[in-house]
Amino acid sequence: MASQRPKEGRWRSMDEPPAHLSRDSSGLLSEDQFLCSICLDVFTDPVSTPCGHNFCLNCIKTYWGDSQQCHCPLCKEKFTKRPELKVNTTLREVVDHFKKKSGLEKPEVLCEVCTGVKQKALKSCLDCGLTFCKSHLEPHYNVPKLKKHKLINPVKDLEDYICQKHEKPLELFCRDDQTFVCQFCTEGDHKTHNTVPIEEESGQKKTQLEKTQTEVQQMIQDRQKKIREIRHSAELRKRNTEKEISDSVEVFTALMCSIERSQAELLEVMEEKQKAAERQAEDLIKDLEQEITELQRRDTELEQLSHTEDHLHLLQIYPSLCSPPHTSTWTDRSIDPHLSAETVRSTLSGLQKSLNEELTKTLNEKIRESVSTELKRIQQYAVDVTLDPDTAHPYLLLTDDGKEVRHSDIEQNRSDNPKRFTSCVNVLGKEGFSSQRFYYEVQVRGKTEWDLGVVRESITRKGKITLTPQNGFWTVWMRNGNEYKACAGPSVLLSLREKPQKVGVFVDYEEGLVSFYDVEARSHIYSFTGQSFTEKLYPYFSPCPNDGGKNSSPLIISPVSNSA
């Protein structure tokens, strides 16, 4: 009789390693690791052959039939005598545990032949239309006629597996009508239809399911990666916010200390003024009291003389008593009850100037520290940028390592191509970037003019070029040795405290961000934010014309070091 053979699509090759009990993305052991390669279902009473492969006990018995010389369905190893198979109890426990955890454990099916206490069913026969326990199934392994019957794992609704019209096993699948049919159906209504064995269609569908599962797992991984990125960004944002809050508190604490100190200084000045006024008042009062004493003495003398009978004495002292007393003029001498407004303004002006200088110094230090921290963070995204000679303008001279570019008065021997700039002295990096962050640094020391930034792949490279984000250019330039602009369309004039010697360019593709930094000064130059990128972005360089040697220094792509 023809024995039931394993499905070729499910066999592993001899060179393929055995499946290990690894876990899938959900943390469960994979079902594929517990599939019998003959029935393509999870093991039932698994047994191991001498070569180490595992099968359902009944599946391997049916496969070998009555033959005394047997071989492994997987590796084809031949056994000189028929192995005595025993259920691998350890593997069966693992399989049973897996069925429970993964929800694959099917409800128990009972034998339909048993009388009294029904035993657990082992197989269902599509030809007999019955489900048998181990003892009642035995004739199907020994009786030649019964050996030809189609056995499947036990099921409760066996009629679903039998053609209701011909009462024969549904062994075929009609691809035209997408339905199950028996052998007699193919001689009638489905005679001209494309029918294949159920196992073949199932194998194909499993292949498609595996492909779909792979795609779903990839989608899960992509989303898990995105979740990690979002959480990482949120954590960075949290740390940055905490740092900004801490810096702000520190700045305002310093401001409050400065205000309190200035207030104390102002109070001290006002108190000194008050003490000086009090000393002045005391001196004035003392002088007035002395004059009052002297005047009172003269008044007494005058009173006495007005009643004297000594006419000679009166005439003798009269001139001195009638002459004006030696007193001061007190009309314009007084103490101002109010503090001088000019004094207050002068004091406040001096204190305000001191406060502003201190506050500005503190803010600049905090901004520098914040930018330095940010620069260290983004420098981890440094990439190796090399200039692409296929894009270089004919008057640009590139070094062999592709790290330096300068303008030359001599045209280089370069053939024209769609990628090459022909009207503007520009060159791009070789590699484009998308869906990621990247950073690189360029030395601009000694130059009076330069352009730097990134561009999208489809930019215009011939004829007139206008540097704007709308045209695919995100750039910053320097002109006349000290004029800086961001080419934002319209341009934005930049006020830089120092002349950059090395410029860092950072791109966050998904965030739509392009930022420029003065690397040595650890300061921020400009950022394009809220941009939308849909193409690859390429590093962009223009050393500009050499201007008779005044601008002959090259642009140099420098290795990134975040040690500063």
Side-chain angles (χ1 to χ4, degrees):
M1 61 173 280
S3 61
Q4 185 180 8
R5 304 189 61 81
K7 312 303 178 290
E8 296 290 337
R10 297 295 302 180
W11 288 9
R12 299 180 179 91
S13 67
M14 293 178 64
D15 295 330
E16 183 179 356
H20 297 291
L21 299 181
S22 59
R23 295 182 181 274
D24 62 15
S25 59
S26 65
L28 294 174
L29 293 171
S30 172
E31 180 181 354
D32 286 344
Q33 295 157 352
F34 298 110
L35 292 183
C36 170
S37 58
I38 296 177
C39 68
L40 304 180
D41 206 345
V42 178
F43 291 125
T44 300
D45 291 334
V47 295
S48 301
T49 56
C51 59
H53 292 118
N54 302 309
F55 307 92
C56 297
L57 176 60
N58 290 319
C59 290
I60 191 65
K61 281 185 175 181
T62 303
Y63 180 82
W64 283 341
D66 297 329
S67 176
Q68 293 301 313
Q69 290 187 347
C70 308
H71 66 271
C72 174
L74 284 177
C75 66
K76 305 302 181 183
E77 180 178 341
K78 294 183 178 179
F79 312 122
T80 54
K81 65 176 183 177
R82 188 181 181 113
E84 294 183 5
L85 302 176
K86 294 184 178 180
V87 175
N88 186 331
T89 56
T90 300
L91 180 56
R92 183 172 62 184
E93 291 175 358
V94 173
V95 172
D96 291 343
H97 178 73
F98 168 75
K99 287 180 179 179
K100 292 179 181 179
K101 290 292 184 181
S102 60
L104 292 177
E105 189 173 39
K106 299 176 182 178
E108 188 176 72
V109 180
L110 301 178
C111 177
E112 296 178 317
V113 181
C114 288
T115 58
V117 179
K118 293 185 176 292
Q119 301 297 314
K120 181 180 178 180
L122 189 62
K123 291 289 181 180
S124 293
C125 178
L126 296 179
D127 293 278
C128 297
L130 294 172
T131 298
F132 301 98
C133 63
K134 183 177 180 180
S135 60
H136 288 120
L137 185 64
E138 196 65 30
H140 281 77
Y141 296 134
N142 301 319
V143 179
K145 184 177 180 180
L146 296 179
K147 285 183 179 182
K148 297 179 181 180
H149 287 192
K150 179 75 171 182
L151 298 177
I152 62 172
N153 286 330
V155 293
K156 282 191 173 181
D157 302 321
L158 189 57
E159 61 272 11
D160 293 341
Y161 295 79
I162 299 174
C163 177
Q164 299 301 307
K165 183 177 181 180
H166 303 106
E167 297 184 352
K168 294 295 180 181
L170 295 171
E171 300 177 295
L172 302 171
F173 183 78
C174 177
R175 289 177 172 172
D176 293 337
D177 295 337
Q178 292 291 297
T179 187
F180 302 103
V181 297
C182 69
Q183 189 64 45
F184 287 98
C185 292
T186 61
E187 298 174 1
D189 297 340
H190 300 268
K191 185 174 183 179
T192 60
H193 291 184
N194 180 15
T195 56
V196 295
I198 286 179
E199 293 81 2
E200 180 180 335
E201 183 69 15
S202 176
Q204 186 180 89
K205 289 295 190 291
K206 283 188 176 182
T207 301
Q208 293 175 353
L209 288 175
E210 289 171 358
K211 180 181 178 182
T212 302
Q213 183 183 17
T214 301
E215 293 173 351
V216 170
Q217 289 175 348
Q218 183 61 48
M219 292 172 67
I220 292 172
Q221 292 173 6
D222 292 343
R223 281 150 181 77
Q224 289 174 337
K225 179 182 177 183
K226 192 64 179 179
I227 288 174
R228 290 193 296 270
E229 290 178 356
I230 292 173
R231 284 177 175 167
H232 178 65
S233 298
E235 182 62 28
L236 283 178
R237 178 63 179 268
K238 180 181 178 182
R239 290 203 296 266
N240 290 337
T241 300
E242 290 173 349
K243 180 70 166 54
E244 290 173 4
I245 291 174
S246 175
D247 290 345
S248 299
V249 169
E250 189 172 343
V251 168
F252 281 102
T253 299
L255 176 60
M256 292 301 297
C257 290
S258 297
I259 292 173
E260 290 172 359
R261 185 167 58 253
S262 299
Q263 182 184 32
E265 291 175 2
L266 178 59
L267 292 175
E268 184 179 353
V269 169
M270 296 175 71
E271 288 173 357
E272 286 296 327
K273 295 289 184 181
Q274 174 62 26
K275 289 178 180 179
E278 290 175 357
R279 287 193 298 269
Q280 181 186 9
E282 289 175 359
D283 291 341
L284 291 175
I285 291 171
K286 183 178 180 181
D287 291 343
L288 285 168
E289 287 177 343
Q290 286 179 351
E291 289 189 3
I292 289 171
T293 300
E294 180 63 26
L295 291 172
Q296 286 175 343
R297 183 186 62 77
R298 175 169 288 200
D299 180 64
T300 301
E301 289 180 354
L302 290 172
E303 176 66 25
Q304 291 174 354
L305 286 174
S306 66
H307 300 287
T308 185
E309 296 295 333
D310 188 350
H311 303 292
L312 179 63
H313 177 67
L314 174 63
L315 294 174
Q316 287 177 340
I317 64 173
Y318 178 79
S320 61
L321 290 176
C322 289
S323 62
H326 299 289
T327 57
S328 301
T329 301
W330 293 94
T331 305
D332 298 328
R333 299 184 67 180
S334 63
I335 301 298
D336 190 347
H338 303 289
L339 187 63
S340 169
E342 183 59 35
T343 301
V344 175
R345 281 196 296 269
S346 177
T347 303
L348 288 177
S349 177
L351 294 176
Q352 184 178 17
K353 181 180 179 181
S354 175
L355 180 61
N356 287 341
E357 289 176 353
E358 185 171 347
L359 180 59
T360 301
K361 181 181 178 181
T362 302
L363 286 173
N364 286 337
E365 287 177 353
K366 291 303 176 185
I367 291 173
R368 179 183 173 88
E369 181 182 345
S370 177
V371 173
S372 181
T373 301
E374 176 69 8
L375 194 53
K376 285 183 180 180
R377 182 187 70 81
I378 66 178
Q379 282 176 328
Q380 67 179 307
Y381 300 107
V383 294
D384 184 19
V385 176
T386 304
L387 301 172
D388 184 0
D390 289 340
T391 65
H393 185 275
Y395 278 89
L396 290 183
L397 184 62
L398 279 59
T399 54
D400 292 339
D401 62 359
K403 297 297 182 181
E404 299 183 26
V405 57
R406 72 176 76 227
H407 182 263
S408 171
D409 291 326
I410 302 174
E411 184 176 3
Q412 307 300 307
N413 184 19
R414 293 195 179 101
S415 60
D416 192 14
N417 66 71
K419 295 171 60 178
R420 190 177 308 286
F421 291 95
T422 55
S423 59
C424 299
V425 285
N426 304 333
V427 62
L428 302 183
K430 277 187 177 180
E431 184 179 0
F433 302 89
S434 62
S435 300
Q436 66 182 81
R437 302 179 180 95
F438 64 94
Y439 172 83
Y440 62 94
E441 294 177 352
V442 184
Q443 179 179 306
V444 296
R445 193 185 311 275
K447 297 194 65 60
T448 60
E449 295 187 356
W450 50 258
D451 301 352
L452 288 175
V454 294
V455 300
R456 64 176 176 233
E457 188 173 17
S458 63
I459 57 166
T460 298
R461 308 186 189 205
K462 316 294 182 182
K464 182 180 179 181
I465 295 176
T466 303
L467 303 183
T468 64
Q470 291 81 4
N471 294 334
F473 294 81
W474 292 269
T475 59
V476 166
W477 75 15
M478 187 259 277
R479 296 289 185 269
N480 303 319
N482 60 1
E483 296 177 8
Y484 299 90
K485 286 185 178 180
C487 305
S491 297
V492 177
L493 183 64
L494 305 176
S495 178
L496 306 184
R497 298 181 62 187
E498 301 179 41
K499 182 176 182 178
Q501 305 298 311
K502 185 183 291 186
V503 176
V505 182
F506 173 68
V507 176
D508 188 326
Y509 192 99
E510 294 187 357
E511 290 294 327
L513 172 70
V514 181
S515 294
F516 298 83
Y517 295 87
D518 182 338
V519 177
E520 295 183 357
R522 316 300 285 178
S523 62
H524 175 253
I525 296 176
Y526 185 79
S527 286
F528 293 89
T529 59
Q531 306 299 305
S532 179
F533 305 130
T534 57
E535 303 177 23
K536 278 188 176 182
L537 298 181
Y538 288 80
Y540 165 87
F541 310 83
S542 177
C544 297
N546 61 27
D547 192 20
K550 295 179 182 178
N551 190 38
S552 60
S553 296
L555 292 176
I556 303 174
I557 301 172
S558 307
V560 175
S561 172
N562 60 3
S563 59

